[in-house]
Amino acid sequence: MEEARVAELARFSNQLIMAINPSIFRSILYLSAAWAAGLFAACERTSPGDPVTEPRADKPSQPGPAESERAGSPELPGLYVLRLGDGMTLTNHVGIPQALLRFSVDGSRVGRVEQWEAPSTGVERVNSVAAAQSMGGLRLSHDGNYLVFTGRDQEVGRLRENVPQVIARFSLEDRVFDTSTRVPADDVDGHYRAAVSLDGRGYWAVGSSGGIHYIEHGADSVNQVLDVTHHYRNIAVEFDTLWFSRSAAGTRGLYRIDPPGVPTSGESGRVNLAAAGGRGWDRGSGGYGDFAFWNENIVFIGNNHVIEVFERDDPESDVWNRLDGENQSHATAGGQVHLDVLERNGTVSLFYTQGTGTIDIGDSGLWSVEWDAATRTFGEANHLAEAGFGYSFGGIVLHGTTPPGEPVEVAGIREPFIPEDPDRTEIPADGAFHLDNPYDFSGYRHKVQLHSHTNLSDGDHEPSWVMRAYEAIGYAAVAITDHDHMSWTPALEDPGGHNIVFLPGVEYSGTRSQSWDHMIAVGVDSIYHKDGMLNRAAQIRQARRDGGAAWLAHPYDADARHRRGWDRHQVIDPALDFDGMEIHNGGFYISETPGIDFPYKVDAALLSGKEIQVIAVDDFHRNPEATLDRGFVVINSAVDGDDLTDADVLEALRAGNFFAAGRTRTDHPAPPEFTDIRVDGHTLRVETDQSCTIDFINVSHNYYTRHELDREPFIHRVTGATAAEYDVSPEDRWVRVKATRHGETGDAYAWSNPIHIRAGEP
């Protein structure tokens, strides 16, 4: 299992078990994730000066499927669910792996008993690029031998590209994926969301546009069956006819091919069942539109969170009526939904999945509810299993029999993944080692701002105003990093009107529309700007050629408007040799939640072998009373303030001879500052200018392992102190220090750069 994790370094999976009310936060995933993190207890404070230690522990192996103990009923079908996600990614339009999970079900009890990973790497890969609301359809072939779903030949972790669409089938007999049906992207005009098959030899597929296609198994071309575009959601074969749902405004509802049949070519008509006599199929704002059949009934479910039951007047009729008994509509709590129906011993059970994007917010996962045909009412819903943080459940199929074993209740699926450094050199237990300390506090300390904007991009103030404002509150140097162009360079007129050092810079904006994988470069004479992630490496090289440095800006996964940011696939990418990352950005909501948590991303990069720095910044745009002086770095230099130059500042930055400090609001106390960070033999000693909680963070106890393995995010803690020390061993690999000043209105922080453990004598 360890070898598999190393071989798939770019793939992550984890779970954060939580439970919050999604109705409050569903519209803003960003805040949902931040609030979810609040459910974890804060690090426990101890009495002043009392060190808290935690024993070192090896990384646990990845847990396997739930185990069972005794035989279950052979009459009860097993339940298959398509899971999307990598344990991290929160939003759409980036490659994420897919997996099939099998559950045993019995009333309100469920237990996961098997799992199969769909190929996510190599030429056979079939990954998703969207949440289950847009993708994730799962269908059983009409002969009962295959599960069918769709995906793309898309690399995990990369933004959506123009790559082939894949229709995958999974043999229920030999448990093998077949992804040989690959359709060129230009033939699809969008992306497939679902497909259905009679016997695995051909598929009818629907998607975001392009109508209905028929594709023979293994073929790379399509036959147009229905040339009516826009927002198809799902497709099925029932009563020897193709049925499909749509969600475009004005056309939401359930349709069938007319004349009835399962054509493989040519254009057929269609009948909207609402127009044929039913009511309620077009749900207005709802209608992602999964549906299932039993007897002469249809169950329809949409993203309006309502499940409705319809029945046909008679077996020969096309008139379907919504059952108007009490509580005929069952309101679900999540976003996108998929369902299937089990009728057993006169009881009709609806099993459905729901969630919001690919982020678990408590009510996502697997649910069931019973339908009473006599009273035409739903019972109480049962939350059977959570999808887990960074995952979403998509399509659902009931088929076969329950695997042997008593089903067990499952709160979620925990599959931690810890990135490894492939080039790491092990230090023998009895071998010589030393600490590579970048710090020298013997000179002067200078406060520096590395991320600010002016009215030459999206700020409100002129460059000279920004410089004078920072000078007035004690800064020695300021970088102006306007978006995608150099507002000022040494070759142009200096902003003027100030006595502090000016650092020319730029903030490279997102590589795609509505993406926020931004990067700041400081100390540069020119820019290299072209769209595309591949050019981030070129931009980093350009910054270094100019004598500057480049840091990843605000490294969350996505903001409240779902704009794509930095995810952990990217921060560990060996091709991106950036100098460091913002561990704090005063212009953005700060939290300690995967996907938003900046320290989490920092530690993921360190675990992968990157030797990076951490900076704190304002990202100033406007409203100086509330946003100036919320994040900065303090450099150490042999040069005092009167003689300080941009070259002196850049020398300290490149050497890592600085620390970061910040607070989330200007009414929080001023951040603490380190007054010394030194090494005595194998002991790391730190001193601060005020009483703090001082945490030593290492390879086994950090903000990444906190969320992956439920560990404290420190290996050693001292509270209420202005000095602390930690005895380092080779197993630490690296150590960074965080100092927290507690105040009545909130906390403020200082962060050191990582100090790496090297083999041999210093």
Side-chain angles (χ1 to χ4, degrees):
M1 189 61 69
E2 280 296 323
E3 288 81 5
R5 291 213 295 264
V6 172
E8 298 182 3
L9 184 61
R11 288 200 53 223
F12 295 82
S13 30
N14 84 342
Q15 169 170 2
L16 176 63
I17 300 174
M18 62 189 77
I20 63 173
N21 185 346
S23 63
I24 299 176
F25 301 103
R26 184 176 301 111
S27 62
I28 43 175
L29 298 181
Y30 184 79
L31 295 179
S32 298
W35 180 257
L39 296 183
F40 282 91
C43 297
E44 183 180 16
R45 298 181 187 175
T46 57
S47 57
D50 182 25
V52 178
T53 61
E54 187 164 307
R56 304 178 189 276
D58 295 332
K59 304 180 186 70
S61 60
Q62 182 171 326
E67 296 296 333
S68 55
E69 297 178 0
R70 67 178 181 83
S73 168
E75 300 177 2
L76 195 62
L79 190 153
Y80 295 87
V81 173
L82 184 64
R83 187 187 71 184
L84 298 84
D86 59 3
M88 180 61 202
T89 305
L90 305 185
T91 56
N92 301 342
H93 309 307
V94 66
I96 52 176
Q98 304 184 90
L100 282 172
L101 311 182
R102 191 181 192 195
F103 292 84
S104 57
V105 292
D106 185 6
S108 62
R109 296 172 64 81
V110 61
R112 189 181 66 145
V113 292
E114 292 177 279
Q115 174 175 325
W116 304 273
E117 299 285 346
S120 60
T121 58
V123 296
E124 74 282 3
R125 64 190 175 193
V126 52
N127 296 314
S128 181
V129 291
Q133 63 181 28
S134 296
M135 308 281 280
L138 182 68
R139 284 294 190 238
L140 179 68
S141 64
H142 213 53
D143 64 2
N145 292 328
Y146 299 100
L147 295 173
V148 179
F149 62 98
T150 63
R152 297 166 69 99
D153 184 14
Q154 172 74 47
E155 182 178 345
V156 169
R158 291 186 67 86
L159 292 169
R160 186 169 66 189
E161 298 167 317
N162 193 37
V163 297
Q165 305 286 304
V166 181
I167 299 177
R169 75 179 191 192
F170 178 74
S171 170
L172 292 170
E173 180 179 358
D174 56 21
R175 304 298 198 257
V176 172
F177 288 97
D178 186 318
T179 60
S180 61
T181 307
R182 312 174 82 79
V183 181
D186 293 341
D187 291 347
V188 178
D189 189 24
H191 57 261
Y192 287 146
R193 289 172 171 148
V196 68
S197 179
L198 294 178
D199 54 13
R201 294 185 295 177
Y203 310 94
W204 290 265
V206 294
S208 56
S209 57
I212 298 178
H213 291 168
Y214 176 77
I215 308 99
E216 292 185 356
H217 178 72
D220 59 2
S221 61
V222 305
N223 293 334
Q224 191 81 43
V225 174
L226 181 62
D227 190 15
V228 178
T229 63
H230 300 305
H231 297 292
Y232 287 73
R233 291 295 173 178
N234 227 318
I235 187 167
V237 176
E238 194 68 31
F239 308 120
D240 298 321
T241 297
L242 284 176
W243 301 72
F244 57 96
S245 57
R246 297 175 65 191
S247 63
T251 63
R252 296 183 178 97
L254 184 63
Y255 296 74
R256 73 158 173 78
I257 289 287
D258 188 52
V262 283
T264 60
S265 63
E267 174 135 354
S268 300
R270 67 191 190 282
V271 170
N272 184 337
L273 294 184
R279 290 169 295 161
W281 294 97
D282 186 346
R283 295 298 301 169
S285 63
Y288 281 134
D290 199 3
F291 53 95
F293 298 83
W294 89 94
N295 296 335
E296 297 297 326
N297 299 89
I298 300 177
V299 181
F300 188 79
I301 191 168
N303 73 323
N304 58 327
H305 315 150
V306 171
I307 302 174
E308 297 177 318
V309 179
F310 291 75
E311 68 177 1
R312 187 152 61 170
D313 279 359
D314 62 71
E316 304 302 322
S317 171
D318 257 339
V319 177
W320 296 77
N321 298 309
R322 192 177 76 179
L323 301 181
D324 288 326
E326 181 182 357
N327 189 28
Q328 76 279 0
S329 297
H330 169 70
T332 69
Q336 72 282 357
V337 279
H338 299 260
L339 60 75
D340 205 350
V341 183
L342 170 64
E343 184 179 19
R344 182 171 181 254
N345 300 329
T347 299
V348 178
S349 298
L350 310 180
F351 291 86
Y352 61 94
T353 60
Q354 63 181 34
T356 305
T358 50
I359 175 173
D360 167 47
I361 54 172
D363 281 342
S364 68
L366 176 63
W367 288 71
S368 71
V369 64
E370 289 190 356
W371 166 256
D372 189 324
T375 62
R376 297 181 174 181
T377 59
F378 288 104
E380 293 295 323
N382 299 302
H383 193 181
L384 304 179
E386 295 178 3
F389 185 90
Y391 294 107
S392 183
F393 283 169
I396 180 171
V397 166
L398 287 151
H399 179 65
T401 58
T402 298
E406 180 180 358
V408 295
E409 293 186 26
V410 185
I413 302 164
R414 182 173 184 77
E415 295 175 347
F417 183 89
I418 308 299
E420 293 285 350
D421 176 4
D423 300 320
R424 179 165 61 99
T425 300
E426 295 289 348
I427 302 175
D430 56 352
F433 70 95
H434 66 279
L435 280 67
D436 190 0
N437 183 17
Y439 288 103
D440 179 1
F441 281 79
S442 61
Y444 300 91
R445 297 202 302 274
H446 304 291
K447 198 172 179 180
V448 177
Q449 181 56 241
L450 294 174
H451 191 164
S452 66
H453 295 275
T454 75
N455 61 359
L456 298 180
S457 65
D458 57 344
D460 284 357
H461 301 281
E462 295 180 352
S464 57
W465 188 98
V466 174
M467 302 295 286
R468 290 195 300 270
Y470 277 108
E471 180 185 20
I473 56 176
Y475 280 73
V478 175
I480 290 181
T481 53
D482 281 327
H483 288 277
D484 303 318
H485 72 279
M486 301 283 293
S487 295
W488 304 95
T489 72
L492 298 175
E493 179 185 359
D494 188 273
H498 59 80
N499 294 310
I500 64 175
V501 173
F502 164 69
L503 300 172
V506 63
E507 179 173 6
Y508 290 110
S509 295
T511 57
R512 302 288 176 89
S513 175
Q514 291 297 295
S515 66
W516 275 31
D517 47 358
H518 294 192
M519 183 176 73
I520 59 171
V522 173
V524 294
D525 300 326
S526 57
I527 65 173
Y528 183 103
H529 184 68
K530 294 180 181 179
D531 287 338
M533 275 300 300
L534 294 177
N535 290 307
R536 282 289 183 254
Q539 292 160 352
I540 294 168
R541 290 193 298 269
Q542 180 70 46
R544 291 192 180 138
R545 281 195 296 269
D546 289 347
W551 297 276
L552 304 189
H554 36 72
Y556 49 60
D557 263 18
D559 74 346
R561 286 174 280 177
H562 306 276
R563 292 175 294 195
R564 184 75 194 156
W566 292 103
D567 66 25
R568 59 182 180 178
H569 298 296
Q570 295 165 315
V571 302
I572 71 163
D573 185 351
L576 290 179
D577 187 23
F578 47 87
D579 293 284
M581 301 165 64
E582 292 178 358
I583 199 168
H584 175 93
N585 182 303
F588 286 82
Y589 189 90
I590 304 300
S591 76
E592 294 179 352
T593 304
I596 305 169
D597 177 22
F598 300 175
Y600 177 92
K601 301 289 179 55
V602 166
D603 291 333
L606 288 169
L607 286 166
S608 74
K610 291 183 181 293
E611 297 193 1
I612 60 171
Q613 307 162 344
V614 297
I615 62 173
V617 300
D618 273 351
D619 196 0
F620 172 72
H621 288 76
R622 58 192 57 85
N623 192 9
E625 293 79 9
T627 60
L628 275 182
D629 202 34
R630 295 201 297 187
F632 54 88
V633 301
V634 177
I635 66 167
N636 295 305
S637 176
V639 182
D640 67 15
D642 293 336
D643 299 322
L644 191 70
T645 67
D646 58 344
D648 298 321
V649 176
L650 292 170
E651 179 183 4
L653 291 173
R654 288 192 297 267
N657 192 13
F658 66 90
F659 62 86
R663 52 186 173 172
T664 56
R665 290 181 5 196
T666 53
D667 63 348
H668 289 182
E673 296 191 11
F674 293 111
T675 57
D676 198 13
I677 300 176
R678 67 183 185 275
V679 172
D680 294 329
H682 293 160
T683 301
L684 179 61
R685 305 182 192 277
V686 299
E687 296 177 5
T688 60
D689 66 342
Q690 51 196 293
S691 179
C692 295
T693 295
I694 301 174
D695 291 339
F696 294 85
I697 300 163
N698 74 346
V699 70
S700 64
H701 288 73
N702 53 68
Y703 283 83
Y704 188 93
T705 58
R706 172 186 183 178
H707 293 296
E708 300 292 320
L709 303 174
D710 294 333
R711 294 178 179 174
E712 294 283 13
F714 54 85
I715 189 68
H716 180 64
R717 164 175 283 187
V718 176
T719 62
T722 57
E725 61 184 45
Y726 173 65
D727 292 330
V728 178
S729 74
E731 289 106 14
D732 290 308
R733 287 172 47 187
W734 48 264
V735 179
R736 63 181 185 88
V737 186
K738 174 185 176 183
T740 303
R741 178 186 179 187
H742 306 291
E744 292 184 359
T745 58
D747 295 341
Y749 313 94
W751 300 270
S752 78
N753 281 314
I755 297 170
H756 293 271
I757 289 87
R758 313 285 190 199
E761 298 294 339

